[in-house]
Structure formats: C-alpha cells, structure tokens
Amino acid sequence: MNKHTKFFLTFLFFIVQISLFAQEKRIVGYLPNYRFKVADKIDFCKMTHLNICFANPDMKGNISISDTLPEILKYIRSKNPELKIYISLAGGALLKEQSEAWIWLLDNPKNRPDFIKKIVDFTEKYKFDGVDVDLEWKDVTKGYS
C-alpha cells in the first residue's frame, strides 16, 4: 500500500467518524426546581436530555428537591417519553447546611456506602436515567472522588 492510499484511507476513516459523531447530537436542558411552575412553557420535544436540578442530601444522606417532583416528572414524560431525564445533585450555590452534609457524607468513608445507596434508591424511585453530580469549588473535598 503506497502512502497516497494510506492517506486516503485514513482521511476516509476520519470523515466517517465525524459524520457518525455529528448524527448523535444532544440537546441538554436544565430545569431548576424553582422553575417547575413554568414547565408548561417549555417544549420538551426539542430536547434529548434534561437535568432536573438541584437535589441535595441532609446529614443522613436523604435526598430531597421538591414535593412536586413526581408531578413534574409525570408531566415532562407525557410531553416527551423518549427524553432522558437525569437528577442533578449539589450545584454551585449550596446553603451552609447542604455543604456541611456533602462534606460529612463524602469525607467520612463509613458514610459513603449508605449515601451512595440512597442516591441509587432515589434515582430508581423516580425512574431517572442517570445522575449528574455538580459539586463545585470549596465543596469538592478529598472524599469527592
């Protein structure tokens, strides 16, 4: 195989890869809990993924976000059953109590397994497609990884 043929095949390979990647476009939205009331003004059919934000744990690892979460999820899923919906945890503007809970739960190795189970249970209870953890700045401690 000469160098021109190798170049052409390599070039063709990259073109095919780029076209395959381009076909997998994602449109990701974030819906914060304080905006649940305006969900009827959002066209969920234009999204491929949606992050419901921001849920946080208490000191025991119990996750909470809003009492209206079941209703909003039902509404969104009725508008776009194909939409991948994730729960976003933490966020960049944690209250002092929330920050302390994250540090307590993550930096103490004995707390982590139960906390992880509670995240998984919360995700399964509400049939989320995944979890987005968005700890930022001072809340990213040694236990985060």
Side-chain angles (χ1 to χ4, degrees), residues 30-34 36 51-55 65 86-89:
Y30 280 80
L31 181 60
N33 59 355
Y34 59 86
F36 284 1
N51 289 353
I52 303 291
C53 52
F54 287 103
I65 183 170
Y86 296 80
I87 185 65
S88 288
L89 303 176

Side-chain angles (χ1 to χ4, degrees), residues 8 18 53 86 117 141:
F8 176 76
I18 289 170
C53 52
Y86 296 80
K117 182 177 181 338
T141 61

Side-chain angles (χ1 to χ4, degrees), residues 56-63 89 101-106 108 110-122 133 135:
N56 279 287
D58 62 16
M59 291 299 273
K60 294 179 181 178
N62 299 308
I63 307 291
L89 303 176
W102 277 101
I103 292 168
W104 169 251
L105 295 164
L106 294 179
N108 294 297
K110 65 180 179 147
N111 295 336
R112 272 187 240 131
D114 188 49
F115 181 44
I116 291 168
K117 182 177 181 338
K118 288 182 179 185
I119 293 171
V120 170
D121 291 347
F122 184 86
V133 181
L135 278 174

